[in-house]
Amino acid sequence: MARSLDPLVVGRVIGDVVDMFNLVTEFTVRYGNKHVANGCDIKPSASASKPRVQILAPPLSSNLYTLVMVDPDAPSPSEPKYREWLHWIVVDIPEGSDATQGKELVPYRGPQPPTGIHRYVFVLFKQKNGAVMAGTRPPDARNNFRTRLFAAENDLGLPVAAVYFNSQKEISVRKR
C-alpha cells in the first residue's frame, strides 16, 4: 500500500500539508462524473459545487470521519503566503456513507486560483473511538489554516487517506 502514497510525496502533499501516514481507508471524490485522482486537472468551473465524497467501507461500524479540503498554494504556488487556504471541513461522517451525512463545519468554497497551478487537497481523518466532533469550533479564518494543527487540536492523529487535484485559472473569452 505504500506505493499509493508516492503521488502524494511527488506532489508535495506529504510535507506541505500532512506528515507521512499509512493509507488505511479508501474514499472517492467526484465532481459530477469526474473522478479525482492524484495530480489530475480539474477546472474551477467544474469544481464550483461540492463534490460527492464517499467513504468506501461497509456501514457496519460506528466509526466517524473528518474531511478537510485545503489549497496549500494560495495565493500563488511561488509565494504561498496564505498556505493553507481552507475550502471545506465536514465532521462526523459515518463510515460507509458520503460527506452529506456528516456535519459541515466550514461551508464548501470552490477553487478560484488567481495565478499558477494550485493543488487542492482532500484529507480524511478517522475520529478516535467514534467521538462526535459536532461541538468543534470552526477556524476564525480560511487563510493560513493548518491541517496538522487542526488535527492535533481535535485529537485526530494522522490522516487515513488523502487525494489531490490540480487547477488553474480559466481563460475567459471576451466577445467583441
Side-chain angles (χ1 to χ4, degrees):
M1 223 178 200
R3 179 176 281 170
S4 57
L5 282 177
D6 289 349
L8 297 172
V9 173
V10 171
R12 297 183 342 270
V13 169
I14 292 177
D16 286 352
V17 179
V18 295
D19 295 322
M20 185 62 80
F21 66 94
N22 292 318
L23 287 171
V24 294
T25 303
E26 290 186 51
F27 76 121
T28 60
V29 180
R30 290 186 171 283
Y31 285 100
N33 62 0
K34 177 76 172 175
H35 175 77
V36 176
N38 285 317
C40 73
D41 294 318
I42 299 179
K43 294 179 180 180
S45 60
S47 55
S49 298
K50 282 183 210 177
R52 177 171 166 80
V53 178
Q54 179 77 36
I55 299 170
L56 304 176
L60 302 173
S61 73
S62 59
N63 291 332
L64 297 173
Y65 293 83
T66 292
L67 177 73
V68 175
M69 179 187 175
V70 296
D71 170 3
D73 301 316
S76 74
S78 60
E79 195 177 325
K81 65 182 178 184
Y82 298 135
R83 175 179 290 166
E84 302 156 27
W85 187 272
L86 179 61
H87 283 265
W88 198 25
I89 297 178
V90 183
V91 299
D92 300 336
I93 306 168
E95 187 168 60
S97 67
D98 64 70
T100 62
Q101 302 303 305
K103 178 184 182 279
E104 196 172 61
L105 190 64
V106 175
Y108 180 81
R109 183 175 292 172
Q112 297 175 328
T115 183
I117 298 171
H118 288 237
R119 296 165 292 162
Y120 292 89
V121 183
F122 293 90
V123 183
L124 189 68
F125 296 93
K126 183 177 176 184
Q127 295 169 205
K128 297 213 172 149
N129 304 317
V132 175
M133 292 185 51
T136 304
R137 278 193 45 229
D140 295 330
R142 288 182 184 257
N143 63 310
N144 300 115
F145 178 78
R146 299 280 184 259
T147 301
R148 287 180 184 95
L149 182 60
F150 178 80
E153 289 173 345
N154 292 287
D155 196 27
L156 293 171
L158 291 172
V160 294
V163 67
Y164 79 99
F165 68 92
N166 296 317
S167 192
Q168 59 186 317
K169 185 175 186 170
E170 294 178 76
I171 306 300
S172 58
V173 178
R174 290 189 177 166
K175 293 183 180 180
R176 291 185 163 194

